[in-house]
Amino acid sequence: MAPCTQTGSGHLCRGLLLLWALLGRGLCHAGAKAEGFIQDARTSPPVTMYQLVGDAFPRAEETYTNMTQRCWEVFVDLMRNVTASQLCEWKVISRPYSFLQACLEDWADQLHYGYPNALAEQYIFQSHYRYFQNCSVGNQVYFDPPEDVLLAMIIAPICLIPFLVTLVIWRSKDGKAQP
């Protein structure tokens, strides 16, 4: 750490101390630069590669990376019990998916590491890419209702309008004000 210069109020020394505390706790990620994202969609989870500058890799980040790896492994293990035809059924996949999300969030909270964060997002994106990419709502095919239902839906409002107009006219013929 740089030596503090003597100023009248000592603000420079406190500022450097604050900067050192932020860098040491991992709140400023100046020590690690994300180089890329390596993944094998079939077998491995997302892994972030860092270019280290000295020994500035924060311990919380390293621990969080290791724990998210374990969360991913448990998620993959849970998803092995899901058949291909069940991948788009929320009742079946909600437990493993919710586990992954809760695991990533809980470890971030325990380590005082911000959530959502880039690594957690990569795991969520990887899960969607690997398991749920064919589950979009846009693939649903809509069919016209049967003709008898369609006819009833068209005729009911047409018949209801003259009935309501007749009812309003009949009730307004009485010259008295209604309470």
Side-chain angles (χ1 to χ4, degrees):
M1 196 155 116
C4 296
T5 60
Q6 195 67 333
T7 61
S9 60
H11 291 294
L12 182 60
C13 187
R14 279 185 253 159
L16 287 174
L17 184 61
L18 179 63
L19 180 62
W20 177 79
L22 290 175
L23 289 173
R25 293 194 52 95
L27 298 176
C28 292
H29 298 287
K33 178 183 173 191
E35 282 297 310
F37 183 71
I38 299 172
Q39 64 188 13
D40 178 2
R42 293 177 307 208
T43 58
S44 65
V47 178
T48 306
M49 299 298 293
Y50 292 95
Q51 175 186 12
L52 300 178
V53 178
D55 293 330
F57 194 87
R59 180 154 169 71
E61 189 169 355
E62 183 179 8
T63 304
Y64 184 69
T65 302
N66 293 335
M67 297 316 295
T68 56
Q69 171 73 25
R70 291 186 185 153
C71 293
W72 176 258
E73 290 168 359
V74 173
F75 171 74
V76 169
D77 190 49
L78 290 171
M79 290 302 290
R80 284 190 186 119
N81 299 327
V82 179
T83 63
S85 63
Q86 296 174 324
L87 282 177
C88 296
E89 295 180 31
W90 180 246
K91 287 185 252 180
V92 177
I93 62 157
S94 67
R95 182 176 159 255
Y97 189 81
S98 297
F99 168 80
L100 177 64
Q101 187 269 333
C103 185
L104 296 171
E105 187 172 354
D106 290 345
W107 277 109
D109 287 344
Q110 287 179 15
L111 297 169
H112 304 289
Y113 193 75
Y115 187 87
N117 56 59
L119 187 57
E121 285 180 8
Q122 291 297 330
Y123 278 103
I124 297 295
F125 288 147
Q126 177 68 14
S127 71
H128 283 255
Y129 177 76
R130 182 172 174 182
Y131 295 105
F132 314 121
Q133 81 181 25
N134 295 325
C135 296
S136 65
V137 178
N139 291 342
Q140 291 181 347
V141 178
Y142 298 104
F143 297 103
D144 288 334
E147 286 186 27
D148 54 345
V149 173
L150 186 62
L151 188 60
M153 290 174 68
I154 293 172
I155 291 179
I158 293 173
C159 293
L160 190 60
I161 291 171
F163 172 74
L164 292 174
V165 169
T166 304
L167 183 64
V168 168
I169 291 173
W170 178 64
R171 294 294 290 168
S172 65
K173 272 189 173 182
D174 207 5
K176 301 178 196 173
Q178 299 294 325

